[in-house]
PDB file of all heavy atoms in Angstrom:
ATOM      1  N   VAL A 756      -9.732  23.284 -14.614  1.00  0.00           N
ATOM      2  CA  VAL A 756     -10.986  23.783 -15.052  1.00  0.00           C
ATOM      3  C   VAL A 756     -11.880  23.969 -13.849  1.00  0.00           C
ATOM      4  O   VAL A 756     -12.158  22.989 -13.224  1.00  0.00           O
ATOM      5  CB  VAL A 756     -11.649  22.931 -16.101  1.00  0.00           C
ATOM      6  CG1 VAL A 756     -12.979  23.461 -16.592  1.00  0.00           C
ATOM      7  CG2 VAL A 756     -10.762  22.806 -17.391  1.00  0.00           C
ATOM      8  N   LEU A 757     -12.293  25.243 -13.664  1.00  0.00           N
ATOM      9  CA  LEU A 757     -12.946  25.531 -12.326  1.00  0.00           C
ATOM     10  C   LEU A 757     -14.423  25.910 -12.506  1.00  0.00           C
ATOM     11  O   LEU A 757     -14.778  26.506 -13.484  1.00  0.00           O
ATOM     12  CB  LEU A 757     -12.179  26.723 -11.698  1.00  0.00           C
ATOM     13  CG  LEU A 757     -10.620  26.537 -11.445  1.00  0.00           C
ATOM     14  CD1 LEU A 757      -9.984  27.770 -10.964  1.00  0.00           C
ATOM     15  CD2 LEU A 757     -10.396  25.381 -10.497  1.00  0.00           C
ATOM     16  N   GLU A 758     -15.100  25.511 -11.493  1.00  0.00           N
ATOM     17  CA  GLU A 758     -16.562  25.983 -11.291  1.00  0.00           C
ATOM     18  C   GLU A 758     -16.504  27.386 -10.752  1.00  0.00           C
ATOM     19  O   GLU A 758     -15.450  27.747 -10.267  1.00  0.00           O
ATOM     20  CB  GLU A 758     -17.186  25.016 -10.325  1.00  0.00           C
ATOM     21  CG  GLU A 758     -17.511  23.627 -10.970  1.00  0.00           C
ATOM     22  CD  GLU A 758     -18.658  23.584 -11.933  1.00  0.00           C
ATOM     23  OE1 GLU A 758     -18.967  24.625 -12.533  1.00  0.00           O
ATOM     24  OE2 GLU A 758     -19.147  22.432 -12.193  1.00  0.00           O
ATOM     25  N   PRO A 759     -17.634  28.102 -10.749  1.00  0.00           N
ATOM     26  CA  PRO A 759     -17.617  29.434 -10.158  1.00  0.00           C
ATOM     27  C   PRO A 759     -17.232  29.427  -8.699  1.00  0.00           C
ATOM     28  O   PRO A 759     -16.686  30.495  -8.239  1.00  0.00           O
ATOM     29  CB  PRO A 759     -19.070  29.879 -10.460  1.00  0.00           C
ATOM     30  CG  PRO A 759     -19.614  29.194 -11.599  1.00  0.00           C
ATOM     31  CD  PRO A 759     -18.888  27.823 -11.581  1.00  0.00           C
ATOM     32  N   ASP A 760     -17.541  28.298  -8.017  1.00  0.00           N
ATOM     33  CA  ASP A 760     -17.167  28.389  -6.552  1.00  0.00           C
ATOM     34  C   ASP A 760     -15.722  27.937  -6.318  1.00  0.00           C
ATOM     35  O   ASP A 760     -15.262  27.671  -5.205  1.00  0.00           O
ATOM     36  CB  ASP A 760     -18.116  27.384  -5.777  1.00  0.00           C
ATOM     37  CG  ASP A 760     -17.983  25.949  -6.234  1.00  0.00           C
ATOM     38  OD1 ASP A 760     -17.131  25.658  -7.135  1.00  0.00           O
ATOM     39  OD2 ASP A 760     -18.773  25.135  -5.750  1.00  0.00           O
ATOM     40  N   GLY A 761     -14.959  27.730  -7.485  1.00  0.00           N
ATOM     41  CA  GLY A 761     -13.534  27.447  -7.296  1.00  0.00           C
ATOM     42  C   GLY A 761     -13.220  25.964  -7.321  1.00  0.00           C
ATOM     43  O   GLY A 761     -12.038  25.602  -7.310  1.00  0.00           O
ATOM     44  N   ARG A 762     -14.225  25.028  -7.315  1.00  0.00           N
ATOM     45  CA  ARG A 762     -14.053  23.633  -7.402  1.00  0.00           C
ATOM     46  C   ARG A 762     -13.568  23.191  -8.721  1.00  0.00           C
ATOM     47  O   ARG A 762     -14.085  23.588  -9.659  1.00  0.00           O
ATOM     48  CB  ARG A 762     -15.393  22.915  -6.990  1.00  0.00           C
ATOM     49  CG  ARG A 762     -15.219  21.416  -6.997  1.00  0.00           C
ATOM     50  CD  ARG A 762     -16.568  20.738  -6.698  1.00  0.00           C
ATOM     51  NE  ARG A 762     -17.567  20.985  -7.819  1.00  0.00           N
ATOM     52  CZ  ARG A 762     -17.595  20.140  -8.816  1.00  0.00           C
ATOM     53  NH1 ARG A 762     -16.847  19.095  -8.971  1.00  0.00           N
ATOM     54  NH2 ARG A 762     -18.633  20.486  -9.712  1.00  0.00           N
ATOM     55  N   ALA A 763     -12.497  22.367  -8.610  1.00  0.00           N
ATOM     56  CA  ALA A 763     -11.938  21.895  -9.913  1.00  0.00           C
ATOM     57  C   ALA A 763     -12.897  20.815 -10.523  1.00  0.00           C
ATOM     58  O   ALA A 763     -13.303  19.909  -9.883  1.00  0.00           O
ATOM     59  CB  ALA A 763     -10.516  21.384  -9.719  1.00  0.00           C
ATOM     60  N   ILE A 764     -13.092  20.960 -11.824  1.00  0.00           N
ATOM     61  CA  ILE A 764     -13.994  19.956 -12.529  1.00  0.00           C
ATOM     62  C   ILE A 764     -13.121  18.720 -12.764  1.00  0.00           C
ATOM     63  O   ILE A 764     -12.094  18.770 -13.478  1.00  0.00           O
ATOM     64  CB  ILE A 764     -14.520  20.416 -13.787  1.00  0.00           C
ATOM     65  CG1 ILE A 764     -15.559  21.662 -13.610  1.00  0.00           C
ATOM     66  CG2 ILE A 764     -15.158  19.423 -14.675  1.00  0.00           C
ATOM     67  CD1 ILE A 764     -16.058  22.284 -14.699  1.00  0.00           C
ATOM     68  N   PRO A 765     -13.531  17.456 -12.166  1.00  0.00           N
ATOM     69  CA  PRO A 765     -12.725  16.285 -12.458  1.00  0.00           C
ATOM     70  C   PRO A 765     -12.974  15.766 -13.896  1.00  0.00           C
ATOM     71  O   PRO A 765     -13.797  16.226 -14.599  1.00  0.00           O
ATOM     72  CB  PRO A 765     -13.342  15.353 -11.397  1.00  0.00           C
ATOM     73  CG  PRO A 765     -14.629  15.808 -11.194  1.00  0.00           C
ATOM     74  CD  PRO A 765     -14.714  17.305 -11.397  1.00  0.00           C
ATOM     75  N   VAL A 766     -12.165  14.827 -14.203  1.00  0.00           N
ATOM     76  CA  VAL A 766     -12.323  14.212 -15.576  1.00  0.00           C
ATOM     77  C   VAL A 766     -13.682  13.628 -15.796  1.00  0.00           C
ATOM     78  O   VAL A 766     -14.214  13.796 -16.963  1.00  0.00           O
ATOM     79  CB  VAL A 766     -11.191  12.980 -15.654  1.00  0.00           C
ATOM     80  CG1 VAL A 766     -11.463  12.127 -16.934  1.00  0.00           C
ATOM     81  CG2 VAL A 766      -9.811  13.610 -15.857  1.00  0.00           C
ATOM     82  N   ARG A 767     -14.362  13.000 -14.817  1.00  0.00           N
ATOM     83  CA  ARG A 767     -15.596  12.484 -14.987  1.00  0.00           C
ATOM     84  C   ARG A 767     -16.651  13.478 -15.610  1.00  0.00           C
ATOM     85  O   ARG A 767     -17.322  13.269 -16.581  1.00  0.00           O
ATOM     86  CB  ARG A 767     -16.168  11.795 -13.855  1.00  0.00           C
ATOM     87  CG  ARG A 767     -17.540  11.044 -13.953  1.00  0.00           C
ATOM     88  CD  ARG A 767     -17.912  10.430 -12.650  1.00  0.00           C
ATOM     89  NE  ARG A 767     -19.186   9.673 -12.759  1.00  0.00           N
ATOM     90  CZ  ARG A 767     -19.205   8.398 -13.309  1.00  0.00           C
ATOM     91  NH1 ARG A 767     -18.137   7.820 -13.760  1.00  0.00           N
ATOM     92  NH2 ARG A 767     -20.340   7.803 -13.488  1.00  0.00           N
ATOM     93  N   GLU A 768     -16.604  14.609 -14.927  1.00  0.00           N
ATOM     94  CA  GLU A 768     -17.480  15.785 -15.470  1.00  0.00           C
ATOM     95  C   GLU A 768     -17.117  16.251 -16.774  1.00  0.00           C
ATOM     96  O   GLU A 768     -17.869  16.614 -17.613  1.00  0.00           O
ATOM     97  CB  GLU A 768     -17.564  16.895 -14.441  1.00  0.00           C
ATOM     98  CG  GLU A 768     -18.269  16.440 -13.107  1.00  0.00           C
ATOM     99  CD  GLU A 768     -18.380  17.549 -12.051  1.00  0.00           C
ATOM    100  OE1 GLU A 768     -18.430  18.718 -12.485  1.00  0.00           O
ATOM    101  OE2 GLU A 768     -18.306  17.217 -10.947  1.00  0.00           O
ATOM    102  N   ALA A 769     -15.775  16.317 -16.986  1.00  0.00           N
ATOM    103  CA  ALA A 769     -15.280  16.840 -18.336  1.00  0.00           C
ATOM    104  C   ALA A 769     -15.762  15.782 -19.411  1.00  0.00           C
ATOM    105  O   ALA A 769     -16.092  16.162 -20.578  1.00  0.00           O
ATOM    106  CB  ALA A 769     -13.769  16.824 -18.280  1.00  0.00           C
ATOM    107  N   LEU A 770     -15.672  14.524 -19.198  1.00  0.00           N
ATOM    108  CA  LEU A 770     -16.141  13.487 -20.221  1.00  0.00           C
ATOM    109  C   LEU A 770     -17.615  13.736 -20.488  1.00  0.00           C
ATOM    110  O   LEU A 770     -18.157  13.619 -21.597  1.00  0.00           O
ATOM    111  CB  LEU A 770     -15.918  12.100 -19.652  1.00  0.00           C
ATOM    112  CG  LEU A 770     -14.381  11.712 -19.567  1.00  0.00           C
ATOM    113  CD1 LEU A 770     -14.264  10.362 -19.005  1.00  0.00           C
ATOM    114  CD2 LEU A 770     -13.857  11.809 -20.937  1.00  0.00           C
ATOM    115  N   ALA A 771     -18.456  14.022 -19.408  1.00  0.00           N
ATOM    116  CA  ALA A 771     -19.854  14.357 -19.659  1.00  0.00           C
ATOM    117  C   ALA A 771     -20.052  15.579 -20.526  1.00  0.00           C
ATOM    118  O   ALA A 771     -20.878  15.551 -21.464  1.00  0.00           O
ATOM    119  CB  ALA A 771     -20.556  14.551 -18.310  1.00  0.00           C
ATOM    120  N   LEU A 772     -19.241  16.553 -20.391  1.00  0.00           N
ATOM    121  CA  LEU A 772     -19.340  17.773 -21.288  1.00  0.00           C
ATOM    122  C   LEU A 772     -18.901  17.397 -22.752  1.00  0.00           C
ATOM    123  O   LEU A 772     -19.452  17.971 -23.591  1.00  0.00           O
ATOM    124  CB  LEU A 772     -18.458  18.882 -20.706  1.00  0.00           C
ATOM    125  CG  LEU A 772     -19.010  19.517 -19.376  1.00  0.00           C
ATOM    126  CD1 LEU A 772     -18.009  20.445 -18.840  1.00  0.00           C
ATOM    127  CD2 LEU A 772     -20.355  20.103 -19.519  1.00  0.00           C
ATOM    128  N   ILE A 773     -17.877  16.499 -22.834  1.00  0.00           N
ATOM    129  CA  ILE A 773     -17.511  16.164 -24.134  1.00  0.00           C
ATOM    130  C   ILE A 773     -18.631  15.404 -24.788  1.00  0.00           C
ATOM    131  O   ILE A 773     -18.870  15.591 -26.036  1.00  0.00           O
ATOM    132  CB  ILE A 773     -16.146  15.291 -24.018  1.00  0.00           C
ATOM    133  CG1 ILE A 773     -15.066  16.123 -23.593  1.00  0.00           C
ATOM    134  CG2 ILE A 773     -15.924  14.627 -25.489  1.00  0.00           C
ATOM    135  CD1 ILE A 773     -13.789  15.285 -23.119  1.00  0.00           C
ATOM    136  N   ASN A 774     -19.271  14.495 -24.096  1.00  0.00           N
ATOM    137  CA  ASN A 774     -20.411  13.841 -24.691  1.00  0.00           C
ATOM    138  C   ASN A 774     -21.513  14.805 -25.146  1.00  0.00           C
ATOM    139  O   ASN A 774     -22.235  14.609 -26.027  1.00  0.00           O
ATOM    140  CB  ASN A 774     -21.050  12.854 -23.574  1.00  0.00           C
ATOM    141  CG  ASN A 774     -20.306  11.553 -23.577  1.00  0.00           C
ATOM    142  OD1 ASN A 774     -19.765  11.101 -24.620  1.00  0.00           O
ATOM    143  ND2 ASN A 774     -20.270  10.884 -22.465  1.00  0.00           N
ATOM    144  N   GLN A 775     -21.829  15.792 -24.255  1.00  0.00           N
ATOM    145  CA  GLN A 775     -22.717  16.851 -24.584  1.00  0.00           C
ATOM    146  C   GLN A 775     -22.530  17.565 -25.945  1.00  0.00           C
ATOM    147  O   GLN A 775     -23.362  17.730 -26.748  1.00  0.00           O
ATOM    148  CB  GLN A 775     -22.714  17.901 -23.490  1.00  0.00           C
ATOM    149  CG  GLN A 775     -23.773  19.063 -23.653  1.00  0.00           C
ATOM    150  CD  GLN A 775     -23.659  20.084 -22.618  1.00  0.00           C
ATOM    151  OE1 GLN A 775     -23.476  19.799 -21.461  1.00  0.00           O
ATOM    152  NE2 GLN A 775     -23.718  21.392 -23.016  1.00  0.00           N
ATOM    153  N   VAL A 776     -21.268  17.959 -26.131  1.00  0.00           N
ATOM    154  CA  VAL A 776     -20.792  18.596 -27.366  1.00  0.00           C
ATOM    155  C   VAL A 776     -20.917  17.594 -28.570  1.00  0.00           C
ATOM    156  O   VAL A 776     -21.276  17.906 -29.653  1.00  0.00           O
ATOM    157  CB  VAL A 776     -19.421  19.178 -27.269  1.00  0.00           C
ATOM    158  CG1 VAL A 776     -18.908  19.797 -28.570  1.00  0.00           C
ATOM    159  CG2 VAL A 776     -19.441  20.250 -26.169  1.00  0.00           C
ATOM    160  N   LEU A 777     -20.589  16.327 -28.286  1.00  0.00           N
ATOM    161  CA  LEU A 777     -20.704  15.292 -29.312  1.00  0.00           C
ATOM    162  C   LEU A 777     -22.242  15.149 -29.756  1.00  0.00           C
ATOM    163  O   LEU A 777     -22.613  15.171 -30.925  1.00  0.00           O
ATOM    164  CB  LEU A 777     -20.257  13.888 -28.840  1.00  0.00           C
ATOM    165  CG  LEU A 777     -20.588  12.663 -29.712  1.00  0.00           C
ATOM    166  CD1 LEU A 777     -19.930  12.903 -31.058  1.00  0.00           C
ATOM    167  CD2 LEU A 777     -20.055  11.413 -28.939  1.00  0.00           C
ATOM    168  N   ASP A 778     -23.146  15.093 -28.818  1.00  0.00           N
ATOM    169  CA  ASP A 778     -24.608  15.098 -29.133  1.00  0.00           C
ATOM    170  C   ASP A 778     -24.934  16.399 -30.017  1.00  0.00           C
ATOM    171  O   ASP A 778     -25.751  16.233 -30.924  1.00  0.00           O
ATOM    172  CB  ASP A 778     -25.390  15.012 -27.862  1.00  0.00           C
ATOM    173  CG  ASP A 778     -25.291  13.654 -27.236  1.00  0.00           C
ATOM    174  OD1 ASP A 778     -24.996  12.620 -28.012  1.00  0.00           O
ATOM    175  OD2 ASP A 778     -25.624  13.537 -26.066  1.00  0.00           O
ATOM    176  N   GLU A 779     -24.436  17.562 -29.561  1.00  0.00           N
ATOM    177  CA  GLU A 779     -24.801  18.781 -30.348  1.00  0.00           C
ATOM    178  C   GLU A 779     -24.251  18.694 -31.768  1.00  0.00           C
ATOM    179  O   GLU A 779     -24.945  19.073 -32.580  1.00  0.00           O
ATOM    180  CB  GLU A 779     -24.070  19.961 -29.614  1.00  0.00           C
ATOM    181  CG  GLU A 779     -24.718  20.333 -28.261  1.00  0.00           C
ATOM    182  CD  GLU A 779     -23.906  21.310 -27.535  1.00  0.00           C
ATOM    183  OE1 GLU A 779     -22.983  21.849 -28.032  1.00  0.00           O
ATOM    184  OE2 GLU A 779     -24.215  21.685 -26.323  1.00  0.00           O
ATOM    185  N   PHE A 780     -23.150  18.049 -31.923  1.00  0.00           N
ATOM    186  CA  PHE A 780     -22.523  17.951 -33.258  1.00  0.00           C
ATOM    187  C   PHE A 780     -23.428  16.991 -34.178  1.00  0.00           C
ATOM    188  O   PHE A 780     -23.820  17.342 -35.268  1.00  0.00           O
ATOM    189  CB  PHE A 780     -21.163  17.330 -33.143  1.00  0.00           C
ATOM    190  CG  PHE A 780     -20.586  16.895 -34.410  1.00  0.00           C
ATOM    191  CD1 PHE A 780     -20.059  17.823 -35.406  1.00  0.00           C
ATOM    192  CD2 PHE A 780     -20.595  15.540 -34.755  1.00  0.00           C
ATOM    193  CE1 PHE A 780     -19.508  17.263 -36.569  1.00  0.00           C
ATOM    194  CE2 PHE A 780     -19.990  15.079 -35.977  1.00  0.00           C
ATOM    195  CZ  PHE A 780     -19.488  15.949 -36.904  1.00  0.00           C
ATOM    196  N   LEU A 781     -23.844  15.875 -33.616  1.00  0.00           N
ATOM    197  CA  LEU A 781     -24.740  14.929 -34.403  1.00  0.00           C
ATOM    198  C   LEU A 781     -26.051  15.542 -34.610  1.00  0.00           C
ATOM    199  O   LEU A 781     -26.597  15.291 -35.742  1.00  0.00           O
ATOM    200  CB  LEU A 781     -24.866  13.638 -33.601  1.00  0.00           C
ATOM    201  CG  LEU A 781     -23.620  12.857 -33.380  1.00  0.00           C
ATOM    202  CD1 LEU A 781     -23.842  11.590 -32.482  1.00  0.00           C
ATOM    203  CD2 LEU A 781     -23.088  12.330 -34.811  1.00  0.00           C
ATOM    204  N   ALA A 782     -26.585  16.318 -33.664  1.00  0.00           N
ATOM    205  CA  ALA A 782     -27.861  17.086 -33.929  1.00  0.00           C
ATOM    206  C   ALA A 782     -27.688  18.144 -35.029  1.00  0.00           C
ATOM    207  O   ALA A 782     -28.702  18.223 -35.887  1.00  0.00           O
ATOM    208  CB  ALA A 782     -28.313  17.687 -32.661  1.00  0.00           C
ATOM    209  N   GLU A 783     -26.560  18.862 -35.042  1.00  0.00           N
ATOM    210  CA  GLU A 783     -26.408  19.798 -36.093  1.00  0.00           C
ATOM    211  C   GLU A 783     -26.248  19.161 -37.502  1.00  0.00           C
ATOM    212  O   GLU A 783     -26.844  19.637 -38.552  1.00  0.00           O
ATOM    213  CB  GLU A 783     -25.103  20.564 -35.806  1.00  0.00           C
ATOM    214  CG  GLU A 783     -25.289  21.616 -34.756  1.00  0.00           C
ATOM    215  CD  GLU A 783     -23.923  22.284 -34.350  1.00  0.00           C
ATOM    216  OE1 GLU A 783     -22.940  22.141 -35.210  1.00  0.00           O
ATOM    217  OE2 GLU A 783     -23.983  22.954 -33.331  1.00  0.00           O
ATOM    218  N   GLU A 784     -25.606  17.906 -37.546  1.00  0.00           N
ATOM    219  CA  GLU A 784     -25.563  17.193 -38.827  1.00  0.00           C
ATOM    220  C   GLU A 784     -27.005  16.818 -39.270  1.00  0.00           C
ATOM    221  O   GLU A 784     -27.255  16.760 -40.489  1.00  0.00           O
ATOM    222  CB  GLU A 784     -24.664  16.008 -38.717  1.00  0.00           C
ATOM    223  CG  GLU A 784     -23.204  16.407 -38.621  1.00  0.00           C
ATOM    224  CD  GLU A 784     -22.216  15.550 -39.411  1.00  0.00           C
ATOM    225  OE1 GLU A 784     -22.494  14.226 -39.323  1.00  0.00           O
ATOM    226  OE2 GLU A 784     -21.426  15.949 -40.110  1.00  0.00           O
ATOM    227  N   GLU A 785     -27.768  16.358 -38.315  1.00  0.00           N
ATOM    228  CA  GLU A 785     -29.137  16.007 -38.627  1.00  0.00           C
ATOM    229  C   GLU A 785     -29.942  17.117 -39.216  1.00  0.00           C
ATOM    230  O   GLU A 785     -30.633  16.950 -40.169  1.00  0.00           O
ATOM    231  CB  GLU A 785     -29.859  15.458 -37.278  1.00  0.00           C
ATOM    232  CG  GLU A 785     -31.335  15.129 -37.626  1.00  0.00           C
ATOM    233  CD  GLU A 785     -32.102  14.660 -36.316  1.00  0.00           C
ATOM    234  OE1 GLU A 785     -31.452  14.187 -35.392  1.00  0.00           O
ATOM    235  OE2 GLU A 785     -33.312  14.845 -36.379  1.00  0.00           O
ATOM    236  N   ALA A 786     -29.774  18.324 -38.767  1.00  0.00           N
ATOM    237  CA  ALA A 786     -30.455  19.475 -39.241  1.00  0.00           C
ATOM    238  C   ALA A 786     -30.195  19.853 -40.756  1.00  0.00           C
ATOM    239  O   ALA A 786     -30.920  20.430 -41.433  1.00  0.00           O
ATOM    240  CB  ALA A 786     -30.033  20.773 -38.467  1.00  0.00           C
ATOM    241  N   GLU A 787     -29.018  19.247 -41.192  1.00  0.00           N
ATOM    242  CA  GLU A 787     -28.766  19.549 -42.677  1.00  0.00           C
ATOM    243  C   GLU A 787     -29.389  18.437 -43.528  1.00  0.00           C
ATOM    244  O   GLU A 787     -29.220  18.557 -44.786  1.00  0.00           O
ATOM    245  CB  GLU A 787     -27.134  19.427 -42.754  1.00  0.00           C
ATOM    246  CG  GLU A 787     -26.400  20.457 -42.039  1.00  0.00           C
ATOM    247  CD  GLU A 787     -26.751  21.864 -42.436  1.00  0.00           C
ATOM    248  OE1 GLU A 787     -26.891  22.056 -43.699  1.00  0.00           O
ATOM    249  OE2 GLU A 787     -26.927  22.724 -41.581  1.00  0.00           O
ATOM    250  N   LEU A 788     -29.951  17.437 -43.048  1.00  0.00           N
ATOM    251  CA  LEU A 788     -30.564  16.481 -43.763  1.00  0.00           C
ATOM    252  C   LEU A 788     -31.891  16.724 -44.379  1.00  0.00           C
ATOM    253  O   LEU A 788     -32.516  17.699 -43.953  1.00  0.00           O
ATOM    254  CB  LEU A 788     -30.734  15.092 -42.998  1.00  0.00           C
ATOM    255  CG  LEU A 788     -29.385  14.574 -42.487  1.00  0.00           C
ATOM    256  CD1 LEU A 788     -29.699  13.382 -41.500  1.00  0.00           C
ATOM    257  CD2 LEU A 788     -28.538  14.008 -43.644  1.00  0.00           C
ATOM    258  N   ASP A 789     -32.425  15.972 -45.436  1.00  0.00           N
ATOM    259  CA  ASP A 789     -33.613  16.362 -46.022  1.00  0.00           C
ATOM    260  C   ASP A 789     -34.837  16.059 -45.124  1.00  0.00           C
ATOM    261  O   ASP A 789     -34.793  15.304 -44.186  1.00  0.00           O
ATOM    262  CB  ASP A 789     -33.802  15.575 -47.377  1.00  0.00           C
ATOM    263  CG  ASP A 789     -33.615  13.885 -47.081  1.00  0.00           C
ATOM    264  OD1 ASP A 789     -34.545  13.343 -46.701  1.00  0.00           O
ATOM    265  OD2 ASP A 789     -32.472  13.519 -47.261  1.00  0.00           O
ATOM    266  N   ALA A 790     -36.070  16.693 -45.471  1.00  0.00           N
ATOM    267  CA  ALA A 790     -37.196  16.521 -44.676  1.00  0.00           C
ATOM    268  C   ALA A 790     -37.631  15.127 -44.405  1.00  0.00           C
ATOM    269  O   ALA A 790     -38.006  14.742 -43.219  1.00  0.00           O
ATOM    270  CB  ALA A 790     -38.347  17.383 -45.137  1.00  0.00           C
ATOM    271  N   PRO A 791     -37.783  14.226 -45.437  1.00  0.00           N
ATOM    272  CA  PRO A 791     -38.203  12.867 -45.093  1.00  0.00           C
ATOM    273  C   PRO A 791     -37.277  12.063 -44.130  1.00  0.00           C
ATOM    274  O   PRO A 791     -37.736  11.376 -43.327  1.00  0.00           O
ATOM    275  CB  PRO A 791     -38.136  12.170 -46.492  1.00  0.00           C
ATOM    276  CG  PRO A 791     -38.330  13.336 -47.505  1.00  0.00           C
ATOM    277  CD  PRO A 791     -37.635  14.397 -46.909  1.00  0.00           C
ATOM    278  N   THR A 792     -35.965  12.385 -44.342  1.00  0.00           N
ATOM    279  CA  THR A 792     -35.036  11.694 -43.413  1.00  0.00           C
ATOM    280  C   THR A 792     -35.119  12.206 -41.964  1.00  0.00           C
ATOM    281  O   THR A 792     -35.119  11.483 -41.013  1.00  0.00           O
ATOM    282  CB  THR A 792     -33.550  11.963 -43.839  1.00  0.00           C
ATOM    283  OG1 THR A 792     -33.466  11.353 -45.202  1.00  0.00           O
ATOM    284  CG2 THR A 792     -32.542  11.350 -42.962  1.00  0.00           C
ATOM    285  N   ARG A 793     -35.369  13.544 -41.829  1.00  0.00           N
ATOM    286  CA  ARG A 793     -35.501  14.137 -40.424  1.00  0.00           C
ATOM    287  C   ARG A 793     -36.834  13.633 -39.823  1.00  0.00           C
ATOM    288  O   ARG A 793     -36.905  13.269 -38.645  1.00  0.00           O
ATOM    289  CB  ARG A 793     -35.559  15.661 -40.539  1.00  0.00           C
ATOM    290  CG  ARG A 793     -34.142  16.176 -40.723  1.00  0.00           C
ATOM    291  CD  ARG A 793     -34.126  17.710 -40.552  1.00  0.00           C
ATOM    292  NE  ARG A 793     -34.537  18.355 -41.927  1.00  0.00           N
ATOM    293  CZ  ARG A 793     -35.656  19.047 -41.989  1.00  0.00           C
ATOM    294  NH1 ARG A 793     -36.446  19.158 -41.026  1.00  0.00           N
ATOM    295  NH2 ARG A 793     -36.074  19.551 -43.161  1.00  0.00           N
ATOM    296  N   PHE A 794     -37.955  13.379 -40.612  1.00  0.00           N
ATOM    297  CA  PHE A 794     -39.108  12.731 -40.148  1.00  0.00           C
ATOM    298  C   PHE A 794     -38.817  11.350 -39.667  1.00  0.00           C
ATOM    299  O   PHE A 794     -39.203  10.941 -38.610  1.00  0.00           O
ATOM    300  CB  PHE A 794     -40.172  12.723 -41.140  1.00  0.00           C
ATOM    301  CG  PHE A 794     -41.303  11.847 -40.931  1.00  0.00           C
ATOM    302  CD1 PHE A 794     -42.396  12.201 -40.099  1.00  0.00           C
ATOM    303  CD2 PHE A 794     -41.262  10.499 -41.315  1.00  0.00           C
ATOM    304  CE1 PHE A 794     -43.432  11.365 -39.851  1.00  0.00           C
ATOM    305  CE2 PHE A 794     -42.322   9.535 -41.055  1.00  0.00           C
ATOM    306  CZ  PHE A 794     -43.380  10.041 -40.306  1.00  0.00           C
TER     307      PHE A 794
END
Side-chain angles (χ1 to χ4, degrees):
V756 178
L757 304 175
E758 292 281 20
D760 62 4
R762 180 180 67 87
I764 293 177
V766 165
R767 185 176 184 82
E768 292 180 30
L770 292 177
L772 293 173
I773 293 167
N774 277 333
Q775 176 184 321
V776 177
L777 170 61
D778 286 340
E779 292 170 5
F780 167 78
L781 294 174
E783 286 175 9
E784 287 220 318
E785 178 184 332
E787 299 298 320
L788 298 172
D789 54 85
T792 297
R793 284 185 281 112
F794 164 87

